[in-house]
Amino acid sequence: MPFNALVITKPESGYRCDLTELDEAQLPATGEVTVRVDYSTVNYKDGLAITGKSPVVRSFPMVPGIDFAGSVTQSDHPRWKAGDRVLLNGFGVGESHWGGLAQMARVKGDWLVALPDTLSERDAMAVGTAGYTAMLCVMALQRHWADAGVQPGSGEVLVTGAGGGVGGVAISLLAGLGHTVVASTGRPQEAQYLKSLGAASVIDRQELSAPGKPLQKERWIGVVDSVGSHTLANACASTRYGGAVAACGLAQGMDLPASVAPFILRGVTLHGIDSVMAPMARRVAAWDALAKTLNREQLASITKEIGLGDAIAAGGDILAGRVRGRLVVNVNR
């Protein structure tokens, strides 16, 4: 059975990503479950894979796409049967195993999560890895705050990279929980949009992106950071005593030019958030929480739908910071 997919190759002439017709027989043999994909999405990592700007792809040819949502068509795994609605995030899919920017996928059953009844396949990919990662960040902060006795409204929470997918969902989630959210962005023209998601105020990313002092004025009770480098270092340096920072990205860089001062003098906790290999129980909890708490109107406001072929150009756009919020890919369009 033929199907359409984005396929990355690396011929002698250079790195390529093309919309290609494949046959179901070409799907990876390592996988017990075949899924008819309805929707995928384009995340920052997908942009890196599609453009080749970073060595994300581990083997060639590769179908990119670290997310998908759809229905099982065939299964040799005890947990899944034909007709089950499922979603997938991470596990190296789109990097070392063919991914979701295609109309069909074959994956290991242990990688799949049952799609919550209240979420459509399109909604799930409007959330995608970006929103799921944001939920993991919020859950880490919530656990920390519960131990520390921190209540909503007791201080400001910083969200960096606020114009991106992680940032937008994090703002919506945190504001919905009653927290005062400060959004940091390099696109000041997006201030009204960020406030519509629940941000109480918006600051320019330049306030955080340059080298700063090891300890700064205490401000944040918590931080969701998808930027890394000096931004993360400054966020830690200005977090209040006993506060917490959830770090999940590296848009500014992989380095962390910080000191131990915030951690040993103010008891700040830095939580590293890994969405790729997160334990299944944590994945299920995150998706259940998203299904129950996410503001669907706000989700719709940060989401744009594109077709499968459009995802190639979108890969470059997301790396260049030209994408607001989330891109949903209708693989059948």
Side-chain angles (χ1 to χ4, degrees), residues 98-124:
W98 282 17
L101 285 168
Q103 293 174 313
M104 300 290 292
R106 182 174 293 136
V107 296
K108 294 184 178 181
D110 289 342
W111 296 345
L112 295 168
V113 173
L115 188 63
D117 291 340
T118 57
L119 281 181
S120 69
E121 286 81 358
R122 188 183 188 280
D123 282 346

Side-chain angles (χ1 to χ4, degrees), residues 183-261:
S184 168
T185 181
R187 292 177 270 177
Q189 68 274 19
E190 302 285 12
Q192 196 54 48
Y193 157 73
L194 297 172
K195 289 180 178 179
S196 75
L197 297 180
S201 59
V202 179
I203 62 174
D204 194 295
R205 70 180 177 196
Q206 290 184 358
E207 293 186 30
L208 298 164
S209 60
K213 295 178 180 179
L215 275 181
Q216 300 169 29
K217 182 179 178 180
E218 295 180 65
R219 184 168 182 182
W220 323 113
I221 62 168
V223 178
V224 173
D225 176 67
S226 59
V227 179
S229 192
H230 290 292
T231 298
L232 176 55
N234 288 320
C236 292
S238 51
T239 295
R240 283 167 43 176
Y241 188 93
V245 178
C248 65
L250 43 70
Q252 187 180 4
M254 289 185 66
D255 59 321
L256 181 56
S259 89
V260 298

Side-chain angles (χ1 to χ4, degrees), residues 13 28 31 47 56 62 74 82 97-98 112 134 189 199 204 232 235 242 277 306 313:
S13 57
V56 169
M62 178 58 59
Q74 188 275 330
H97 187 98
W98 282 17
L112 295 168
Q189 68 274 19
D204 194 295
L232 176 55
M277 302 303 293
I306 62 175

Side-chain angles (χ1 to χ4, degrees), residues 62-306:
M62 178 58 59
V63 175
I66 62 174
D67 308 89
F68 66 73
S71 299
V72 173
T73 61
Q74 188 275 330
S75 173
D76 294 320
H77 191 280
R79 283 180 56 207
W80 309 108
K81 65 182 185 304
D84 287 344
R85 298 193 315 137
V86 295
L87 62 88
L88 185 145
N89 310 104
F91 286 115
V93 169
E95 301 174 70
S96 56
H97 187 98
W98 282 17
L101 285 168
Q103 293 174 313
M104 300 290 292
R106 182 174 293 136
V107 296
K108 294 184 178 181
D110 289 342
W111 296 345
L112 295 168
V113 173
L115 188 63
D117 291 340
T118 57
L119 281 181
S120 69
E121 286 81 358
R122 188 183 188 280
D123 282 346
M125 288 299 99
V127 175
T129 283
Y132 150 68
T133 302
M135 188 74 244
L136 291 176
C137 290
V138 171
M139 288 166 60
L141 294 180
Q142 286 180 304
R143 289 192 299 270
H144 181 91
W145 289 330
D147 290 341
V150 174
Q151 298 298 319
S154 63
E156 295 176 312
V157 182
L158 173 68
V159 175
T160 69
V166 173
V169 177
I171 291 169
S172 177
L173 291 169
L174 289 163
L177 291 167
H179 291 284
T180 302
V181 182
V182 176
S184 168
T185 181
R187 292 177 270 177
Q189 68 274 19
E190 302 285 12
Q192 196 54 48
Y193 157 73
L194 297 172
K195 289 180 178 179
S196 75
L197 297 180
S201 59
V202 179
I203 62 174
D204 194 295
R205 70 180 177 196
Q206 290 184 358
E207 293 186 30
L208 298 164
S209 60
K213 295 178 180 179
L215 275 181
Q216 300 169 29
K217 182 179 178 180
E218 295 180 65
R219 184 168 182 182
W220 323 113
I221 62 168
V223 178
V224 173
D225 176 67
S226 59
V227 179
S229 192
H230 290 292
T231 298
L232 176 55
N234 288 320
C236 292
S238 51
T239 295
R240 283 167 43 176
Y241 188 93
V245 178
C248 65
L250 43 70
Q252 187 180 4
M254 289 185 66
D255 59 321
L256 181 56
S259 89
V260 298
F263 311 113
I264 64 173
L265 297 179
R266 290 183 181 164
V268 171
T269 299
L270 178 59
H271 293 275
I273 305 300
D274 167 45
S275 62
V276 177
M277 302 303 293
M280 185 55 64
R282 189 167 296 171
R283 291 170 180 271
V284 172
W287 279 103
D288 284 348
L290 284 161
K292 292 172 184 174
T293 63
L294 194 64
N295 185 312
R296 304 301 174 86
E297 291 184 5
Q298 289 181 346
L299 181 64
S301 75
I302 68 173
T303 301
K304 177 184 177 182
E305 182 176 314
I306 62 175

